[in-house]
């Protein structure tokens, strides 16, 4: 879990302070894991993303080809992306800026996998022409549930200020 975390957060192994292990033990386990995966000729999901970022960052012609491949990008559940995925997305969209993201920072559930809803705020700063729409109507839940959730969610300081209302 920690190996995946530091990879998805773009944290340098040498600067990481492990949560559950002594530093030397964690580095040993990390390097052993990487060696084992390489010896088996395998890649894990994190490797796929890391290799993708490395390829796009170090080969301008390949990056250009992929930037031209798709004219528009749609990202759903944007609140659940991690910094590594965000970096790849920024590389792919930096030319055309034709990107549509849908997400609700109040519904982020993948923090344990490195998702950072704060990236939604960063995204608004990346492009000059961003239109930001807040979806404030909930069509799924009764007003009692929506009102209770509003009270709880208001305590979160890293969110877009909005009040959701139940709508039939």
């Amino acid at each position: 879990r920690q190996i995946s975390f530091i990879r998805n957060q773009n944290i340098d192994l040498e600067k990481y302070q492990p949560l559950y292990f002594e530093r030397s033990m964690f580095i040993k386990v990390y390097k052993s894991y990487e060696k084992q995966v390489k010896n088996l000729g395998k890649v894990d999901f994190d490797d796929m993303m890391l290799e993708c970022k490395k390829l796009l960052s170090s080969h301008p012609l390949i990056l250009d080809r992929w930037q031209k491949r798709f004219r528009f990008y749609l990202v759903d559940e944007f609140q659940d992306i991690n910094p590594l995925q965000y970096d790849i997305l920024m590389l792919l969209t930096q030319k055309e800026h034709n990107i549509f993201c849908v997400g609700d920072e109040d519904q982020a559930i993948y923090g344990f996998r490195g998702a950072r809803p704060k990236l939604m705020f960063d995204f608004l700063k990346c492009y000059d022409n961003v239109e930001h729409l807040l979806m404030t109507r909930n069509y799924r839940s009764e007003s009692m549930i929506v009102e209770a959730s509003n009270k709880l969610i208001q305590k979160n300081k890293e969110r877009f200020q909005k009040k959701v209302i139940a709508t039939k």
Side-chain angles (χ1 to χ4, degrees), residues 51-63:
E51 291 302 318
C52 178
K53 181 183 175 189
K54 191 178 352 176
L55 179 72
L56 296 174
S57 298
S58 60
H59 294 84
L61 292 176
I62 294 173
L63 175 60

Side-chain angles (χ1 to χ4, degrees), residues 52-70 73 87-95:
C52 178
K53 181 183 175 189
K54 191 178 352 176
L55 179 72
L56 296 174
S57 298
S58 60
H59 294 84
L61 292 176
I62 294 173
L63 175 60
D64 183 61
R65 181 177 177 205
W66 281 100
Q67 287 172 334
K68 291 176 180 172
R69 170 99 190 232
F70 301 105
Y73 287 84
D87 289 349
I88 293 168
L89 182 64
M90 293 298 104
L91 284 167
L92 291 171
T93 62
Q94 68 188 2
K95 270 192 182 171

Side-chain angles (χ1 to χ4, degrees), residues 28-44:
K28 183 178 177 183
V29 169
Y30 184 97
K31 290 183 177 184
S32 175
Y33 173 76
E34 284 195 326
K35 182 179 178 184
Q36 181 73 8
V37 169
K38 186 176 181 178
N39 288 343
L40 292 171
K42 306 286 183 184
V43 292
D44 63 17

Side-chain angles (χ1 to χ4, degrees), residues 1 4-5 8-9 76-83 85 104-117:
R1 185 170 143 189
S4 184
F5 177 80
N8 286 297
Q9 298 300 309
D76 194 15
E77 303 296 346
F78 191 66
Q79 74 276 3
D80 288 324
I81 70 169
N82 62 50
Q85 293 166 329
D104 181 352
E105 78 285 4
D106 292 332
Q107 295 186 35
I109 60 171
Y110 287 106
F112 70 94
R113 284 186 28 203
R116 295 290 169 258

